[in-house]
Amino acid sequence: QVQLVESGGGLVQAGGSLRVSCAAPGSGFFIRTMGWYRQGPGKQREMVATTTTGGSTNYADSVKGRFTISTDTAKNTVYLQMNSLKPEDTAVYFCNAGVLVPGDEVVYDIWGQGTQVTVSS
């Protein structure tokens, strides 16, 4: 069973930076997509940034120019570098992966447990 392990959240002042990481340890599967979503207080979960094995990336308009998603395919790890953080970036950040298991005909949608990012004003 594929699991995602997140780390790197925390408390930071506005204008500061944080990097969150998400790893999918193990073998016997292939990751097709990875991404970050967030859910702020009283809000719905929203896409922050996604990336594919082909290298294409997609960002929410609210984070363009401030956040950067990157991957280490050898480690099945995705990173989200967050710069110029704002109080409105405060949320639980969830890692997501589209995982293909050889022999299956579907891409499984896997979620991490979430990591809290709090930006103080």
Side-chain angles (χ1 to χ4, degrees):
Q1 184 176 1
V2 180
Q3 293 185 330
L4 300 177
V5 180
E6 299 161 347
S7 60
L11 173 65
V12 65
Q13 288 188 332
S17 298
L18 274 178
R19 190 178 80 157
V20 290
S21 304
C22 172
S27 60
F29 56 89
F30 300 98
I31 293 179
R32 290 290 177 253
T33 61
M34 296 193 85
W36 290 94
Y37 293 71
R38 68 186 181 187
Q39 186 166 13
K43 297 181 180 180
Q44 291 187 330
R45 190 175 297 188
E46 62 177 357
M47 186 276 292
V48 177
T50 61
T51 186
T52 68
T53 52
S56 63
T57 58
N58 187 38
Y59 294 93
D61 288 342
S62 60
V63 307
K64 283 180 181 177
R66 300 188 298 122
F67 291 10
T68 302
I69 189 170
S70 61
T71 57
D72 184 336
T73 54
K75 297 180 179 179
N76 283 342
T77 299
V78 63
Y79 306 95
L80 185 68
Q81 177 67 44
M82 301 180 287
N83 299 328
S84 302
L85 282 161
K86 305 175 181 179
E88 51 263 43
D89 294 319
T90 294
V92 178
Y93 284 69
F94 296 91
C95 178
N96 173 265
V99 177
L100 178 67
V101 176
D104 291 355
E105 296 183 359
V106 296
V107 176
Y108 295 98
D109 195 27
I110 309 297
W111 290 91
Q113 78 283 0
T115 184
Q116 178 69 46
V117 171
T118 302
V119 184
S120 63
S121 57

